[in-house]
Amino acid sequence: MRVQDRGCQYRGRENVAQLAEDYAKARAGGATERDAADSTGVARSTQRYWEARVAGIDASDVEKAFFESPAGVAFLHRLVVALHRVVVFCVGGGIRQVIRILHLTHVSRFVGASIGTHHGIERDVENELGAYGKTERARLGQLMAPKAITVCGDENFHEGICLVAIEPVSNFLLAETYVENRTAETWSATVVEAIKGLPVTVEQVTSDEGKALLSLARTLNARHATDLFHVQYETSGAMSLPLAHRVNVASDTVDEADAQVTRAKEQRAAWEKSHGPGRPPNFDLRECAVDEGLVEAKLALEEATQWQADARGARRGLATDYHPVDLATGEPRTAEQIAAKMQERFDALKRIATEAGLSERSMAGLAKAERLLPTLKASLAFFHERVDRRVAALTLPPEQAGIVTTHLVPAAYLERAANRAQLAADKEALRDTAHERRRAGLHALLAAGVDEPQRDQLSTVAAECADLFQRTSSCVEGRNGQHALHHHHLHQVSTTRLEALTVIHNYVIRRPDGTTAAERFFGHKPNDLLDHLLKTVRVPPRPRRAAQRPSPAVLHSTPGARTPGNSWAGECWTKS
């Protein structure tokens, strides 16, 4: 018969620690064992068992006094839950790493450190993460101010088909779910369900040219913005490998020509050292021929290397040009100006492909990428139109409206571009340009008599306008990479685990400014996740004591007699 069937009641480890402390205080005050036990409502035999169990722990008296106190149990609870939240769900370390930490810190003397124990804790934390995400989404959605958003969407296939949709400004995961297919109907149903109950309007969808995602934009009555990354990817796929092959072939030709020069010199030296009668070979003619071959091979290698460098520069130039603001000066640029610059990059790529003699397949890949140029131009025009509309809604005088569009909006955009730049020098240059642009705009507003509260309002509107231009869905690509790491570790990411990982992304991971994705998206701070877990996840159990093997005499004793190995009077169960 199980313990639960004997009419026993679960106390809980934290209550046991408090009862043991109350009993010790009563005994220290001069009370007898009976009186102290009566004051706590616990039998004397159970109190003696608790004292004997603490005395048997291999630790110092100071450690035992703390970890067996209510404060110590609360600390152990927080420590184990925090380890699971960070090690298991944030960095994907697994429960074995949690157990190793407990052993290295000797906390395993007071907390169970078995695989089974921590599998149960992991399961509880996983379930409560999902429950927390649902509760907070409903609560924060009611507090959220209405706003228009952009949605970046893509799929990954680490565990079947997983649809991922992110709001790029806040980096909030709107949807991350497994589906049976990736049709337009499935995409639309997923995103509509993701924004259900939220005061948001999707005004733009940034993605590749997948038909389902194009249909999603039409379903949401939103503008579709072509992802620049996939344009660059097409050009790279069309040219990178063929040009690299030509460089490798030219390099091998140089090595072979250099070897021929070396052999010609060795042949001359060998003949001069020991030669027989007769006319000597024409070594000068041989060496002249191989020297000419070496020069030609080096020129071919130099030309192939130049093609490769020019193509790489043209591809990167597409990203440099595709900005509504000149990165060097901060001047706003029209869609026509940017499209003309990008057309020059494509012309350069086609010229390189022709000179290098690339295949028709490569030329077709370039043509496929070039066909997206009008859609990129349309996205820029959409951005400028939205900026003009938002500034016009402020009903400012024409002079002040011009200051916002020519100074404050470019400054805000350059600040965002600086955060995404790779090189420290580029970051510094962009921030300097943004600072100069913002300072000029604020001075102009001050000269126009605009007070400080209104200047702050205009700066906020400028920041919102700068966020409108989302030229790539790289946030989704990064999330897919993180998902791949978790899948590599677990080999199978269940639906509940995926939901828990989504909650970690939205409510735990912080940017350098200390904000989470949920706080940036909803505009309000979520409740503390660790506090929720501490309230809902049970206090971790003690380490299991090894079962005592009965002596031969006990094995032949009277049936039903109690032995040290089958005693069930413990920390948490008591007769009701």
Side-chain angles (χ1 to χ4, degrees), residues 106-261:
H106 292 175
V107 177
S108 58
R109 299 172 179 177
F110 303 93
V111 171
S114 66
I115 294 291
T117 295
H118 287 274
H119 263 306
I121 297 175
E122 178 190 25
R123 182 181 60 252
D124 292 343
V125 172
E126 183 178 287
N127 293 333
E128 290 304 325
L129 283 172
Y132 169 87
K134 294 175 182 177
T135 302
E136 284 301 292
R137 182 189 180 281
R139 184 182 71 85
L140 295 174
Q142 296 177 351
L143 303 175
M144 182 181 182
K147 66 177 181 179
I149 64 172
T150 298
V151 173
C152 294
D154 202 0
E155 311 94 355
N156 65 64
F157 305 91
H158 308 301
E159 188 74 27
I161 301 174
C162 181
L163 303 186
V164 183
I166 295 182
E167 196 280 311
V169 177
S170 63
N171 203 35
F172 184 82
L173 267 168
L174 294 168
E176 188 175 37
T177 180
Y178 294 129
V179 294
E180 295 182 356
N181 56 65
R182 49 178 180 151
T183 61
E185 292 76 13
T186 303
W187 258 113
S188 299
T190 300
V191 175
V192 169
E193 181 64 25
I195 62 176
K196 184 179 179 181
L198 299 179
V200 299
T201 302
V202 179
E203 66 176 356
Q204 185 174 226
V205 175
T206 302
S207 68
D208 56 19
E209 290 294 306
K211 293 182 180 180
L213 292 166
L214 292 173
S215 177
L216 170 66
R218 291 192 295 269
T219 301
L220 299 175
N221 196 24
R223 174 76 174 75
H224 182 269
T226 299
D227 188 347
L228 177 65
F229 166 78
H230 289 85
V231 176
Q232 292 179 295
Y233 179 80
E234 292 292 342
T235 59
S236 177
M239 299 187 66
S240 295
L241 190 58
L243 291 178
H245 175 69
R246 278 157 176 73
V247 171
N248 293 335
V249 171
S251 179
D252 293 341
T253 304
V254 169
D255 293 341
E256 179 60 26
D258 189 58
Q260 291 179 0
V261 171

Side-chain angles (χ1 to χ4, degrees), residues 323-547:
H323 290 282
V325 175
D326 190 304
L327 299 184
T329 64
E331 289 289 337
R333 298 190 299 173
T334 64
E336 290 75 14
Q337 291 173 329
I338 300 170
K341 282 279 188 181
M342 298 182 73
Q343 185 62 59
E344 293 177 2
R345 305 291 186 182
F346 277 108
D347 293 341
L349 290 172
K350 290 187 291 185
R351 175 185 56 79
I352 294 169
T354 302
E355 293 177 356
L358 299 188
S359 65
E360 294 182 1
R361 181 177 180 180
S362 296
M363 301 300 292
L366 285 177
K368 179 181 178 182
E370 189 178 7
R371 284 198 297 270
L372 297 176
L373 187 56
T375 63
L376 297 176
K377 179 181 177 181
S379 296
L380 289 163
F382 172 80
F383 166 75
H384 287 299
E385 185 270 333
R386 289 290 176 173
V387 170
D388 293 340
R389 181 183 298 183
R390 293 200 178 191
V391 174
L394 299 174
T395 62
L396 298 173
E399 179 185 357
Q400 296 180 14
I403 294 172
V404 174
T405 56
T406 59
H407 289 86
L408 298 186
V409 173
Y413 184 84
L414 290 173
E415 290 170 353
R416 285 150 179 75
N419 293 334
R420 300 186 183 100
Q422 294 183 351
L423 302 179
D426 294 339
K427 290 178 180 288
E428 190 67 23
L430 289 170
R431 290 194 176 109
D432 290 343
T433 306
H435 176 71
E436 292 297 328
R437 206 77 187 174
R438 181 177 296 280
R439 184 174 63 178
L442 293 178
H443 283 175
L445 291 176
L446 186 62
V450 179
D451 56 12
E452 184 175 357
Q454 189 176 5
R455 292 199 302 271
D456 293 340
Q457 179 189 7
L458 296 180
S459 296
T460 302
V461 172
E464 294 174 353
C465 291
D467 289 332
L468 286 173
F469 187 67
Q470 297 297 331
R471 63 182 195 152
T472 179
S473 59
S474 57
C475 54
V476 182
E477 302 294 342
R479 180 58 184 172
N480 288 343
Q482 288 291 323
H483 194 183
L485 293 177
H486 284 285
H487 186 268
H488 178 74
H489 161 64
L490 298 171
H491 304 294
Q492 183 178 5
V493 179
S494 64
T495 301
T496 54
R497 174 56 65 94
L498 181 64
E499 187 177 355
L501 294 177
T502 303
V503 171
I504 291 293
H505 174 92
N506 286 337
Y507 297 93
V508 174
I509 298 176
R510 298 179 181 272
R511 283 181 178 172
D513 61 0
T515 60
T516 63
E519 183 178 351
R520 296 187 295 269
F521 180 73
F522 292 107
H524 298 275
K525 276 192 173 184
N527 292 327
D528 189 84
L529 173 58
L530 187 58
D531 288 344
H532 171 81
L533 294 177
L534 292 176
K535 293 176 182 177
T536 54
V537 177
R538 181 175 293 183
V539 177
R542 296 176 176 277
R544 175 171 293 183
R545 188 177 58 179

